[in-house]
Amino acid sequence: MNKTIEKLLSHHSVRKFTEKKLTTEQIHTLVKSAQAASTSSYIQAYTILGIKDIEKKKRLSELAGNQPYVINNGHFFVFCADLYRHEIIGENEDGDVIDSLESTEKFMVAVIDAALAAQNTVVAAESMGLGICYIGGIRNNLEAVSDLLELPDRVIPLFGLAVGYPEEETGVKPRLPLHHIYQEDRYNSDPGRIMSDLEEYNKTVSSYYEARTNGKRNDRWTSQMAAMLSNKKRMYMKDYVEKKKFNKK
Amino acid sequence: MNKTIEKLLSHHSVRKFTEKKLTTEQIHTLVKSAQAASTSSYIQAYTILGIKDIEKKKRLSELAGNQPYVINNGHFFVFCADLYRHEIIGENEDGDVIDSLESTEKFMVAVIDAALAAQNTVVAAESMGLGICYIGGIRNNLEAVSDLLELPDRVIPLFGLAVGYPEEETGVKPRLPLHHIYQEDRYNSDPGRIMSDLEEYNKTVSSYYEARTNGKRNDRWTSQMAAMLSNKKRMYMKDYVEKKKFNKK
């Protein structure tokens, strides 16, 4: 196993960073790494915003659920799906692009493009000894985030990414069994097989929490998931993305 | 610049592989690397299928537009957004999960989760000296791909990934200018700025094609994009994902 893979396998989110800021050179290396990721038909359907303004960071932290690590980090990125430049290209090149831009297909393309770029940023950051935490919490209120960052239509923020020098490390969280997440040639949808795999995984997850909390927690993964999904969060999303002219057709 | 970042920056798709197959150990290392990526609220909303059956590979190649590298590679993965296991969890844990599972928010979560995992697979593969090519072409006909792979509702294939030992290398394709894709604190939506950045980029892209084709091609990026987006592709996607019980609410 090589060093890159060792690093991938030791990934864990970092939620407490030192005050040390990333240099412009480091930020540019991270963005170049992001850009080197594959992109569907060369479309490059994303924009990366870096947030330095402290007032904007404070507001983003409030909007995302008051996580202090949205403010206190080495740098904060917001990854956006972006088809705005492609609309302008359509106008300038006499292209009939609007139906494509507003399709669910291109919504998926833009989300995938942005996510591939983000994960390259993460790999690059961790290879430099930095830690990261994805911030899905900005999706609590995307209208306000969009206003704060002055985003036009056809640009939507997908998630934040806090990057910085780790002050506190966390443990590597156990993942679903490999034979459960990975299957060959066909999908085995038998519910009995699935629950049996998940009961095995529940034991792993419970042991992980017990060890990490000195016995105070022993959550099962399936009950965590049932509770999380029973909480109907961000149900405004369908209307929001359509209003921003994604996912309409 | 460290070796991991050097490797990220030298990424290029590989479309011709030797006949050598990946070992089970290599495949498992790639899947474990995928799983190590961040996942929204620990949801792990994806499944990875590995396709070994030669008849299925041939059929997938047809469906994706007859690319030979869908058949001829070291291994072929299909990355799927997957909330099917979460439906079963809801039933077993008495959770009221259906509204969440069918929300646009959770559609985005599943797509992002799968993409982060896929990009970790790519980074791991390239660190092992392997090459990769994402295959968005499977989205030409997802109904047929779903049938072939026996996917239940709440599982949709997003893209394929061909992995293997490179037989032919391609060049690194130039990306949008860094100052265009990355901005600080606010989004500058001025169309004049955007077109001026893109004209600069058009020159870079034209030079790249000229050098690669001995002067036979000199495409501008903006005209490529206008032509690609004027071709209304995969407009069935909205109905398809809703039929598979994603992105409905």
Short mmCIF file of all heavy atoms in Angstrom, two decimals, chain B residues 179-201:
data_model
loop_
_atom_site.label_atom_id
_atom_site.label_comp_id
_atom_site.label_asym_id
_atom_site.label_seq_id
_atom_site.Cartn_x
_atom_site.Cartn_y
_atom_site.Cartn_z
N HIS B 179 -8.02 32.24 -11.88
CA HIS B 179 -8.72 33.44 -11.39
C HIS B 179 -10.17 33.48 -11.86
O HIS B 179 -10.97 34.28 -11.38
CB HIS B 179 -7.98 34.72 -11.83
CG HIS B 179 -7.90 34.90 -13.33
ND1 HIS B 179 -8.92 35.45 -14.06
CD2 HIS B 179 -6.95 34.55 -14.22
CE1 HIS B 179 -8.58 35.46 -15.35
NE2 HIS B 179 -7.40 34.91 -15.47
N HIS B 180 -10.49 32.62 -12.83
CA HIS B 180 -11.88 32.56 -13.31
C HIS B 180 -12.71 31.59 -12.45
O HIS B 180 -13.83 31.91 -12.05
CB HIS B 180 -11.90 32.12 -14.77
CG HIS B 180 -13.28 32.02 -15.33
ND1 HIS B 180 -13.97 33.12 -15.78
CD2 HIS B 180 -14.13 30.98 -15.47
CE1 HIS B 180 -15.17 32.76 -16.18
NE2 HIS B 180 -15.29 31.46 -16.00
N ILE B 181 -12.14 30.44 -12.18
CA ILE B 181 -12.90 29.41 -11.45
C ILE B 181 -12.90 29.69 -9.95
O ILE B 181 -13.78 29.26 -9.23
CB ILE B 181 -12.29 28.00 -11.74
CG1 ILE B 181 -13.36 26.92 -11.67
CG2 ILE B 181 -11.15 27.65 -10.83
CD1 ILE B 181 -13.90 26.46 -12.97
N TYR B 182 -11.89 30.43 -9.49
CA TYR B 182 -11.75 30.71 -8.04
C TYR B 182 -11.85 32.20 -7.79
O TYR B 182 -11.09 32.98 -8.38
CB TYR B 182 -10.40 30.18 -7.54
CG TYR B 182 -10.16 30.51 -6.09
CD1 TYR B 182 -10.89 29.87 -5.09
CD2 TYR B 182 -9.22 31.48 -5.71
CE1 TYR B 182 -10.69 30.19 -3.75
CE2 TYR B 182 -9.02 31.80 -4.37
CZ TYR B 182 -9.76 31.15 -3.40
OH TYR B 182 -9.57 31.45 -2.08
N GLN B 183 -12.78 32.58 -6.92
CA GLN B 183 -12.92 33.99 -6.57
C GLN B 183 -13.06 34.10 -5.06
O GLN B 183 -13.43 33.15 -4.39
CB GLN B 183 -14.16 34.58 -7.24
CG GLN B 183 -14.07 34.55 -8.75
CD GLN B 183 -15.33 35.13 -9.38
OE1 GLN B 183 -15.63 36.31 -9.23
NE2 GLN B 183 -16.08 34.28 -10.06
N GLU B 184 -12.79 35.29 -4.54
CA GLU B 184 -12.85 35.44 -3.08
C GLU B 184 -13.99 36.35 -2.64
O GLU B 184 -14.22 37.42 -3.21
CB GLU B 184 -11.49 35.90 -2.55
CG GLU B 184 -10.49 34.74 -2.63
CD GLU B 184 -9.11 34.97 -2.04
OE1 GLU B 184 -8.72 36.13 -1.82
OE2 GLU B 184 -8.42 33.94 -1.82
N ASP B 185 -14.70 35.89 -1.62
CA ASP B 185 -15.71 36.63 -0.86
C ASP B 185 -17.02 36.93 -1.60
O ASP B 185 -18.06 37.07 -0.98
CB ASP B 185 -15.13 37.93 -0.28
CG ASP B 185 -14.13 37.62 0.84
OD1 ASP B 185 -14.32 36.60 1.52
OD2 ASP B 185 -13.15 38.36 1.00
N ARG B 186 -16.96 37.08 -2.91
CA ARG B 186 -18.19 37.30 -3.66
C ARG B 186 -18.01 36.81 -5.09
O ARG B 186 -16.88 36.65 -5.57
CB ARG B 186 -18.60 38.77 -3.67
CG ARG B 186 -17.59 39.70 -4.30
CD ARG B 186 -18.06 41.14 -4.29
NE ARG B 186 -19.12 41.37 -5.26
CZ ARG B 186 -18.93 41.74 -6.53
NH1 ARG B 186 -17.71 41.92 -7.02
NH2 ARG B 186 -19.95 41.93 -7.33
N TYR B 187 -19.15 36.58 -5.74
CA TYR B 187 -19.14 36.11 -7.13
C TYR B 187 -19.27 37.32 -8.02
O TYR B 187 -20.21 38.10 -7.90
CB TYR B 187 -20.34 35.18 -7.31
CG TYR B 187 -20.37 34.43 -8.63
CD1 TYR B 187 -20.04 33.07 -8.65
CD2 TYR B 187 -20.74 35.03 -9.81
CE1 TYR B 187 -20.09 32.35 -9.85
CE2 TYR B 187 -20.79 34.32 -11.01
CZ TYR B 187 -20.46 32.98 -11.01
OH TYR B 187 -20.51 32.26 -12.18
N ASN B 188 -18.32 37.50 -8.90
CA ASN B 188 -18.39 38.61 -9.84
C ASN B 188 -19.10 38.12 -11.11
O ASN B 188 -18.52 37.39 -11.91
CB ASN B 188 -16.97 39.09 -10.16
CG ASN B 188 -16.97 40.23 -11.16
OD1 ASN B 188 -17.97 40.48 -11.85
ND2 ASN B 188 -15.85 40.93 -11.26
N SER B 189 -20.36 38.52 -11.25
CA SER B 189 -21.17 37.97 -12.34
C SER B 189 -21.17 38.85 -13.60
O SER B 189 -21.95 38.62 -14.52
CB SER B 189 -22.61 37.74 -11.86
OG SER B 189 -23.16 38.94 -11.38
N ASP B 190 -20.29 39.82 -13.64
CA ASP B 190 -20.20 40.71 -14.81
C ASP B 190 -19.90 39.90 -16.08
O ASP B 190 -18.83 39.29 -16.21
CB ASP B 190 -19.08 41.73 -14.55
CG ASP B 190 -18.77 42.55 -15.79
OD1 ASP B 190 -19.68 42.76 -16.60
OD2 ASP B 190 -17.59 42.96 -15.96
N PRO B 191 -20.84 39.92 -17.04
CA PRO B 191 -20.65 39.11 -18.27
C PRO B 191 -19.40 39.53 -19.05
O PRO B 191 -18.76 38.69 -19.68
CB PRO B 191 -21.91 39.40 -19.08
CG PRO B 191 -22.92 39.89 -18.10
CD PRO B 191 -22.14 40.61 -17.03
N GLY B 192 -19.04 40.81 -19.00
CA GLY B 192 -17.84 41.29 -19.69
C GLY B 192 -16.58 40.63 -19.12
O GLY B 192 -15.71 40.16 -19.89
N ARG B 193 -16.50 40.57 -17.80
CA ARG B 193 -15.36 39.90 -17.17
C ARG B 193 -15.31 38.43 -17.60
O ARG B 193 -14.26 37.89 -17.96
CB ARG B 193 -15.47 39.95 -15.64
CG ARG B 193 -14.33 39.18 -14.98
CD ARG B 193 -14.54 38.68 -13.56
NE ARG B 193 -15.60 37.76 -13.30
CZ ARG B 193 -15.46 36.43 -13.16
NH1 ARG B 193 -14.30 35.84 -13.33
NH2 ARG B 193 -16.50 35.69 -12.87
N ILE B 194 -16.48 37.80 -17.58
CA ILE B 194 -16.52 36.37 -17.89
C ILE B 194 -16.07 36.12 -19.32
O ILE B 194 -15.21 35.27 -19.58
CB ILE B 194 -17.93 35.81 -17.59
CG1 ILE B 194 -18.12 35.79 -16.07
CG2 ILE B 194 -18.11 34.42 -18.20
CD1 ILE B 194 -19.49 35.40 -15.59
N MET B 195 -16.59 36.87 -20.28
CA MET B 195 -16.22 36.64 -21.67
C MET B 195 -14.74 36.97 -21.92
O MET B 195 -14.08 36.30 -22.72
CB MET B 195 -17.12 37.41 -22.64
CG MET B 195 -18.47 36.73 -22.89
SD MET B 195 -18.40 34.92 -23.25
CE MET B 195 -17.55 34.88 -24.83
N SER B 196 -14.24 37.96 -21.20
CA SER B 196 -12.82 38.30 -21.39
C SER B 196 -11.93 37.17 -20.85
O SER B 196 -10.96 36.75 -21.49
CB SER B 196 -12.54 39.66 -20.75
OG SER B 196 -11.36 39.67 -20.03
N ASP B 197 -12.30 36.61 -19.68
CA ASP B 197 -11.57 35.44 -19.16
C ASP B 197 -11.64 34.28 -20.16
O ASP B 197 -10.66 33.58 -20.41
CB ASP B 197 -12.20 34.93 -17.85
CG ASP B 197 -11.86 35.79 -16.65
OD1 ASP B 197 -11.09 36.76 -16.80
OD2 ASP B 197 -12.38 35.49 -15.55
N LEU B 198 -12.83 34.11 -20.74
CA LEU B 198 -13.02 32.94 -21.61
C LEU B 198 -12.31 33.11 -22.95
O LEU B 198 -11.84 32.13 -23.53
CB LEU B 198 -14.52 32.64 -21.79
CG LEU B 198 -15.25 32.25 -20.50
CD1 LEU B 198 -16.70 31.87 -20.79
CD2 LEU B 198 -14.55 31.13 -19.74
N GLU B 199 -12.19 34.35 -23.42
CA GLU B 199 -11.42 34.57 -24.65
C GLU B 199 -9.95 34.23 -24.42
O GLU B 199 -9.29 33.64 -25.28
CB GLU B 199 -11.60 36.00 -25.17
CG GLU B 199 -12.95 36.24 -25.87
CD GLU B 199 -13.25 35.27 -27.03
OE1 GLU B 199 -12.32 34.67 -27.58
OE2 GLU B 199 -14.45 35.09 -27.35
N GLU B 200 -9.45 34.60 -23.25
CA GLU B 200 -8.07 34.23 -22.87
C GLU B 200 -7.94 32.70 -22.87
O GLU B 200 -7.00 32.13 -23.45
CB GLU B 200 -7.80 34.81 -21.46
CG GLU B 200 -6.52 34.33 -20.78
CD GLU B 200 -6.52 34.66 -19.26
OE1 GLU B 200 -7.30 35.54 -18.82
OE2 GLU B 200 -5.76 33.99 -18.53
N TYR B 201 -8.93 32.05 -22.29
CA TYR B 201 -8.90 30.58 -22.20
C TYR B 201 -9.03 29.94 -23.59
O TYR B 201 -8.38 28.92 -23.89
CB TYR B 201 -10.02 30.12 -21.27
CG TYR B 201 -10.10 28.64 -21.04
CD1 TYR B 201 -8.97 27.90 -20.64
CD2 TYR B 201 -11.30 27.95 -21.18
CE1 TYR B 201 -9.05 26.53 -20.40
CE2 TYR B 201 -11.39 26.58 -20.94
CZ TYR B 201 -10.25 25.88 -20.56
OH TYR B 201 -10.34 24.53 -20.31
#
